[in-house]
Amino acid sequence: MTVDERQVDRLRPTPMLLTAAAALLVSIVLFAVNYAEQRTQVIWGWLPAVLGTAIPSWACWRTASAPGLDRVAARVWRSLAIVCAFVVLGVIGDARHFVLDHEAVDPERDLPTSIAYGVALLVLLWTLLRLPIGARQRRDRVMVRFVLDAATVTVTLGVFSWYFTIRVLGTPEAGSATVAPMLMLTALGLIASLAFVKVTVTGFGGLDRGALRLLTGSAVVGGTTSGLSQYIFDLHAGLSAVTIFIPGTLLFVAFAADRQRRAAHVQVPPRRPRSFSMVPYLAVAATDGLLLAVGSAAGTVVLTVALAAVLLTALVVARQINALAENGRLLRRVDANLLELNRYQTQLTHRANHDALTDLANRSLFEQKTQEALDRTGEGAETLSLALIDLDDFKAINDRLGHAVGDAMLVVVADRLREAVRTDDVVARLGGDEFGLLLRDLHSDEATEVLDRIAESLTRPVHALGYDLLVKASIGLAEMWPEASPQELLRRADLAMYAAKERGKGRHAVYDSRLEQDKAADAQLGADLRRALDDGDFTLVYQPIVALPGGEWTSLETLIRWKHPERGFIGPDVFIPIAERTGLIVPLGDWILRTALRQAADWQERFGAAAPGEIGVNVSARQLREPGFAADVRAALADTGFDPEKLVVEVTETAVFDGGVALDTLQNLVTLGVRIALDDFGTGHSSLGLLRTCPADTLKVDKSFVDGIGGRSEEAVIATAMIQITNGLHLQAIAEGVETAEQAETLFRLGYRFAQGYHFSRPLSPDQVSEHLATYRPLPV
């Protein structure tokens, strides 16, 4: 029993209840004083009875208006208040007759008083018929049982009343005048109590069981006393048992109303109904007792038959009770199995709607919650923002540290996402390293504050299976609009998320119409890329790599240029990312490789030793992940007849940081004799561990470390550290982006022996390279 239930069970005397109880006590005292003879005025015996009857009516009406009460339960208590109100009118009518005609014993009631009692009886019957007893199928079954039990009570009571009137009182002439009203009132009272008992045992969430038990008591007391009071007391003129039995009956109603009012806010779990009713068996037992009493007075033969009938009835009842008990045990076993099945179904439903690793909502549930939220916003209830979160470089952690570490990291990230949002927001894992947030009643500017909080929470190192990992996430945010759908909202958030990635990762972006325009422009540019590749609109240029300090050419890096027929020259920083996203980088890269190798082979054939010692070709991460890329390189070398040892494949740190297939591809290239250079070193996932795992023999230091290399700048310190690392690892270092003689001198002084940049030469066309080679002999590598 809960604390709330114990508080409801505890009786709390209130002024209203104390007044009703005091009125009943005064009525009983006055009844006892005037029982032998009338010692007080008749009106004094009726005044406390009227008061004690009126208070329960007010108590029921007050309970019907109690906050938290079920609508149907409120209707029941309102009906009971009306019943009590008409009973009050009836008591006032009785009082009027007894006061005006106090010389008569049990004076006849006038028509208004009879109508008042009759209406009270009809309203009570209507209330009983409308008592809630569960679902329709169950209600039909209970109603059949109730009608049968009511008929059993009526028949049994009829037999006893007839016997009591004829045999005990010995007044067969008065039977027709007195037995019928007595039988009707008593039967109605017992049937009413039976109805309340039915509701109590079958259960109804809005009506308190304790209140129902008190109502049952009031029905029993009212039914039996109203029918039998004329035989219990030898009343004289001016005295009526109504003055004590009606207030006593309605005092139970007042206590029931007070208890229901206190229990209105308490949720009581439903109780399993009994497998059988005791009413028929009690009726049979009572009738058997009457049969034995009649048989004992009728002689030995009749008594013997009566005993046999009673014994046979007892055996049949015992057998039926045993069968019902067995059925009850089977039903309890079935209930236990159903409970276990429901628990299992609940678990299955939870698993179907939640991610097994993080226990967050999955994509299906996330879209369902999004649709529900959108439906509410359509009714003007709230606004809605949806965020899509993608962990940057998660694949690298999986490949390098294992999936167990990656899973542990995802669990920690999921916990931090839960902590960063409100309880009514929705956090979901949509798949892999992608999460979704549903932020209710937040506009985009408010939602960005939540995203800032999430980004801040992810800056703290994530401890996963002994590793302290730094996590960054790219987040896209989209706000709902009229007629939005979950799929379109997700698409917009996804578009914003990729925009955040393109801006440098570890950022968030909010969707706007310009992103759609950019996407459309990218799609158009992708189509133009395909046409340009087919039409041969791309050209290659070559930038020399020189030896310091003299500036002699040692090798060339291949660069691609595209002159769009309408937009003019488009930089590689614009179209290369689009080519990677669309997959066109694979055929474009193959064209670059084969064209550069054919050109380099031509220079070797034409200029011999004066030709560049090496030719460098940039390769993207997408190309390295392509199955058979190393075989394609081998085929290109074979077709052009170019020496593999003079080909340098330039890759970025990010391309190989993921490990896995990319590193395997590089190892296969090294097996062919191809050299590997790490391009733009220092701007990506710089790691000494990468220098151990990646089979590179050249390090190209990014331009950002060369720009401020003069003096005692931090760039000079980093550049110095890098040349020391390359020397220690026996790697070749090339400084990129050298634009001044001062930078070249400083780099040479720091230990650099190779450089590249506009200070030495801009990228040159094949003809410009040929002109230079015809007049100038570079140093051998």
Side-chain angles (χ1 to χ4, degrees), residues 606-622:
R606 290 169 55 192
F607 301 105
E614 295 174 347
I615 189 76
V617 177
N618 291 283
V619 174
S620 71
R622 175 68 178 270

Side-chain angles (χ1 to χ4, degrees), residues 693-747:
T693 57
C694 180
D697 46 22
T698 299
L699 221 59
K700 301 187 74 172
V701 180
D702 188 71
K703 180 180 183 295
S704 61
F705 299 107
V706 176
D707 288 340
I709 202 170
R712 300 177 59 84
S713 65
E714 294 179 355
E715 287 82 357
V717 174
I718 295 174
T720 302
M722 286 186 179
I723 194 63
Q724 291 174 349
I725 290 172
T726 55
N727 290 337
L729 296 176
H730 306 290
L731 301 177
Q732 183 184 79
I734 300 175
E736 295 183 300
V738 180
E739 297 183 352
T740 66
E742 180 183 1
Q743 290 175 344
E745 293 173 1
T746 302
L747 288 167

